[in-house]
């Protein structure tokens, strides 16, 4: 008897293209790192940026060193929002818009960082598409591909949000995470391009995992916003009533936070994105996951560790949505729930995938 | 009209709704605190009900549910792997029984987990019913009364018309038309227009929660009437859907045997394909990974149905008589014949082996309790592509049948099958048995290729390896709740989307003649719940007013 060389119905791997994919993944990671560094420089120099703006203004108006011209401060001046964030009785110049629109504060380092991110996303997208073409399948078949693909989604979601809203203050966080994900993929789960096992050969792979990545891409943004919201609200309180305690004294001095929108606007934008992400999470990991599980494993829900955590994440974010409508739970408490939800996501992908045996333990994990 | 709008009675549930607070604040009405209940049983019950159905309790239960679900991912669960649970308890003799008593190995059917979600759903129902009743009432009644001072609305605007512009009554007619076109339900009043839209937001909210109740009910009903069974089918063998035919069978609480629809599956052939990708003339990095499993089967539905040929694959279950048949495993079944010391056939047939790795190194156990003078047992490995790893020790190098070999030890003695105790077919306890063949004894181990026969020592018999067959492991599941769970999951999603993204808005328009004799149209907008684009609505409304009427330059418009 001899081994039959079975090619099955699957086309062969394009090795050349696969090598390009890996090369461009590295190139993208390098550019992301550069962008991350520039965003950091922008944050470090924020006090200088603010001082420069203020000095220019002081020179112009002579008297009021902390005011900025009307075209910068105007914003949309909306009237509603009962119980809005603290109305600025502090000495803060309005360097950012309440609704996160662009107000024209010059931040050259951040702008270059955004431009680099665009270049990196192009290289990254090429890498992901090339890997998919090389294997003639959707490129989300193992932990390596998931990390590379999901980090692309995170970066793309961030860039799309940047078109309409000035989210440059999230740059350090988002790019930092993207770099971490790509490094983790390359060092922790290096997997050569290949076909996937029979259980993964399903159109649901593309739908299920892509929707999960999209949801995560949005949850990343809201996580960062809610974290900043907690800091910003303490800072606003410190500036309004005088700082109490060391933490408030420290954050009151953080110049970078003056380039971050007010806590109220962080909270409402985090909510809007969380609402969208929650729908994606409901449809993606939960419902399409259940449909696929029914087709593949014979039951739609079986409390596999990954299913448990998908459920936990869903419930925590559902709690978040309810908390925002519950007296005593709005604002910072709700923000904590959103942060908890993201911590659960990190556990789901960082711990459950790797250490908990279950049906979701797929190829590419070190044995 | 001294009172602002929307002063209907609040629903009994969700008294602590923060949005209601915000809305009342916007309208200048203070919220009355819940009345402290009078003592007495009725009062206490009423108080408990109010507490249970309050938003805060629901939120606590929701978070508790998340926390309670976590242990199920840490400890093995009986529903998934009862064997793993027993092993865990054996390995942790102190902690194991304690956790078992706390139902940590069946978290999702435990008393405490059930208590949390049942309370949550009672709270949810107690919240939804009054809300639904209130909403139906609101959908039937006219839009809320026009507030006296529209300036106090979150969004407010006024347009003053040129001299010779339409009179107030005419502008109100126009405004009513415009609002209607924008999807509002409109009531033209004597001196104003009241309008409201976005009723579907609350409908969606209620639909979402009702659908969750639906999901829960059909998950429960489905599992009660469900059954799940496992069966191993060797090539050329068949399976008939009857209780006796199953290897393992897990019925739901209300399962009855006549639920088993008659059907049969026969395995004709089985194909495996593995990755044979070459890179630079060498086997590639994924060489030998499984790529496809296909079972050629003949199925017959009903008692007198036509037999038809079809294929069974991973991700492509066969649907028969409401049940689904899944391909969940496969392996090799070497056909073995054992003859005893008296030359009689003590065992003959395919032996199902258990593959333990990617190259199908398969655990093989043969038991021949009918052999005489002594019962015979064989334990060892089946290797699809056997290679010598040095010192005569065989290992498998590939999952396909390149060089199939059986490597066995043989034993004689009481196999322990006669006392009626159920035994694992893959395990033979050899402690009490006499070793006949093994690498450690003089006779050596048994190594057989297909077609070969080996004599056992002391004339106790012989073993023949005839050929290799394939087997498949199938799961047969039946769950009548599935379709309904999916339908309710989808309606829940639809409800979720409309409750999150639709906007519930109220609009009022008033018109008056100013001292200068011009017409002044005022309008105010109020939203219920989250609304981030109320200002956009204001802008759009103003733009439409400006194209409808001759509006003066906006000096007076604040």
């Amino acid at each position: 008897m001899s081994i039959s060389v079975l090619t099955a119905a699957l086309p062969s791997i394009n090795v050349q293209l696969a090598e390009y994919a890996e090369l461009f993944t590295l190139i993208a990671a390098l550019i992301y790192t550069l962008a991350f560094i520039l965003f950091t420089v922008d944050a470090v120099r924020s006090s200088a940026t603010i001082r420069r703006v203020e000095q220019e203004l002081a020179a112009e108006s002579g008297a009021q060193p902390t005011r900025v011209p009307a075209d910068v401060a105007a914003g949309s001046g909306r009237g509603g929002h009962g119980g809005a964030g603290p109305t600025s009785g502090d000495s803060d110049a309005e360097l950012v818009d309440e609704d996160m629109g662009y107000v024209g504060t010059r931040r050259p380092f951040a702008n270059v960082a955004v431009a680099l991110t665009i270049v990196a996303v192009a290289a990254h997208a090429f890498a992901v598409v090339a890997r998919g073409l090389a294997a003639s399948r959707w490129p989300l078949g193992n932990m390596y591909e998931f990390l590379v693909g999901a980090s692309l989604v995170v970066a793309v979601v961030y860039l799309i949000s940047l078109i309409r809203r000035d989210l440059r203050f999230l740059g350090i966080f988002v790019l930092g995470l993207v770099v971490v994900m790509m490094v983790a993929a390359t060092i922790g789960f290096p997997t050569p391009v290949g076909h996937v096992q029979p259980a993964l050969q399903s159109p649901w792979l593309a739908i299920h995992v892509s929707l999960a990545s999209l949801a995560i891409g949005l949850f990343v943004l809201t996580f960062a916003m809610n974290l900043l919201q907690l800091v910003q609200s303490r800072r606003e309180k410190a500036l309004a009533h005088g700082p109490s305690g060391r933490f408030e004294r420290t954050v009151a001095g953080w110049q970078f936070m003056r380039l971050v929108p007010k806590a109220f606007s962080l909270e409402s934008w985090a909510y809007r994105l969380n609402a969208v992400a929650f729908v994606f999470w409901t449809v993606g990991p939960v419902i399409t996951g259940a449909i696929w599980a029914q087709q593949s494993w014979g039951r739609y829900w079986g409390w596999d560790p990954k299913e448990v955590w998908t459920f936990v994440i869903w419930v925590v974010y559902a709690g978040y949505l309810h908390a925002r409508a519950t007296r005593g739970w709005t604002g910072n408490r709700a923000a904590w729930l959103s942060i908890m939800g993201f911590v659960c996501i990190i556990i789901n992908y960082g711990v459950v995938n790797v250490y908990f045996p279950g049906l979701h333990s797929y190829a590419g994990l070190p044995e | 009209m001294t009172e602002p709008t929307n002063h209907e009675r609040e629903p009994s549930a969700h008294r602590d709704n923060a949005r209601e607070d915000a809305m009342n604040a916007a309208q200048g009405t203070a919220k009355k605190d819940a009345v402290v209940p009078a003592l007495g049983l009725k009062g206490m019950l009423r108080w408990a009900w109010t507490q249970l159905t309050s938003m805060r309790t629901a939120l606590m239960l929701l978070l508790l549910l998340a926390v309670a679900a976590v242990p199920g991912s840490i400890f093995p669960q009986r529903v998934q792997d009862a064997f793993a649970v027993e092993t865990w308890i054996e390995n942790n003799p102190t902690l194991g029984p304690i956790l078992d008593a706390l139902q940590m190995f069946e978290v999702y059917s435990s008393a405490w987990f059930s208590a949390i979600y049942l309370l949550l759903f009672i709270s949810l129902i107690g919240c939804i019913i009054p809300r639904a009743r209130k909403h139906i009432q609101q959908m039937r009644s006219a839009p809320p009364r026009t507030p006296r001072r529209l300036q106090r609305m979150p969004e407010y605007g006024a347009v003053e018309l040129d001299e010779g512009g339409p009179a107030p009554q005419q502008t109100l007619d126009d405004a009513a038309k415009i609002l209607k076109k924008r999807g509002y339900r409109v009531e033209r009043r004597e001196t104003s227009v009241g309008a409201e839209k976005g009723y579907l937001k609350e409908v969606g909210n209620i639909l979402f929660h009702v659908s969750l109740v639906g999901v829960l009910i059909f998950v429960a009903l489905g599992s009660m009437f469900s059954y799940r069974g496992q069966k191993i089918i060797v090539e050329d063998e068949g399976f008939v859907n009857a209780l006796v035919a199953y290897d393992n069978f897990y019925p739901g609480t209300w399962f009855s045997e006549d639920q088993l629809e008659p059907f049969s599956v026969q395995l004709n052939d089985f194909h495996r394909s593995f990755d044979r990708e070459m890179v630079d003339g060498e086997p590639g990095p994924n060489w030998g990974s499984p790529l496809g499993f296909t079972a050629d089967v003949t199925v017959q539905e009903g008692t007198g149905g036509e037999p038809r040929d079809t294929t069974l694959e991973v991700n492509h279950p066969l649907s028969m008589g409401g049940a689904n048949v899944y391909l969940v495993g496969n392996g090799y079944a070497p056909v073995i014949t054992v003859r005893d010391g008296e030359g009689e056939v003590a065992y003959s047939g395919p032996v199902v082996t258990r593959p333990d790795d990617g190259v199908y190194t398969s655990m093989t156990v043969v038991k021949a309790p009918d052999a005489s003078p002594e019962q015979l047992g064989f334990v060892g490995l089946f290797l699809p592509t056997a290679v010598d790893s040095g010192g005569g020790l065989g290992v498998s190098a590939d999952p396909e049948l390149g060089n199939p070999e059986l490597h066995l030890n043989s034993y004689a003695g009481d196999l322990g099958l006669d006392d009626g105790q159920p035994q694992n077919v893959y395990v033979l306890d050899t402690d009490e048995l006499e070793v006949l063949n093994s690498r450690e004894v003089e006779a050596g181990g048994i190594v057989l290729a297909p077609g070969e026969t080996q004599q056992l020592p002391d004339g106790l018999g012989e073993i023949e390896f005839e050929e290799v067959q394939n087997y498949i492991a199938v799961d047969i599941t039946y769950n009548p709740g599935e379709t309904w769970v999916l339908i309710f999951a989808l309606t829940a999603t639809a409800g979720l989307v409309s409750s999150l993204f639709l906007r519930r808005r109220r609009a009022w328009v008033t018109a008056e003649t100013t001292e200068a004799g011009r017409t002044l149209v005022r309008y105010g907008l109020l939203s219920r719940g989250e609304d981030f684009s109320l200002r956009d609505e204001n802008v759009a409304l103003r733009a439409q007013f400006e194209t409808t009427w001759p509006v003066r330059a906006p000096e007076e418009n604040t």
Side-chain angles (χ1 to χ4, degrees), chain B residues 308-328:
Chain B
R308 66 185 165 92
D309 291 342
T310 181
T311 57
L312 174 60
E313 287 177 281
V314 181
N315 272 324
H316 300 281
L318 292 174
S319 182
M320 273 179 299
N324 289 316
V325 181
Y326 297 85
L327 177 61
V328 295

Side-chain angles (χ1 to χ4, degrees), chain A residues 48 50 76 133 154 190 197 276 289 333 340 347 354 365:
Chain A
I50 295 164
S76 62
L133 289 176
V154 169
Q197 54 174 285
V276 178
R333 277 205 191 174
M340 254 175 59
I347 294 173
V354 185
L365 293 180

Side-chain angles (χ1 to χ4, degrees), chain B residues 20-43:
Chain B
E20 298 282 333
D21 281 4
M23 200 181 58
N24 288 326
Q27 296 183 36
T29 30
K31 182 118 173 69
K32 280 181 221 120
D33 278 327
V35 184
V36 179
L39 286 177
L41 183 66
K42 213 173 152 188

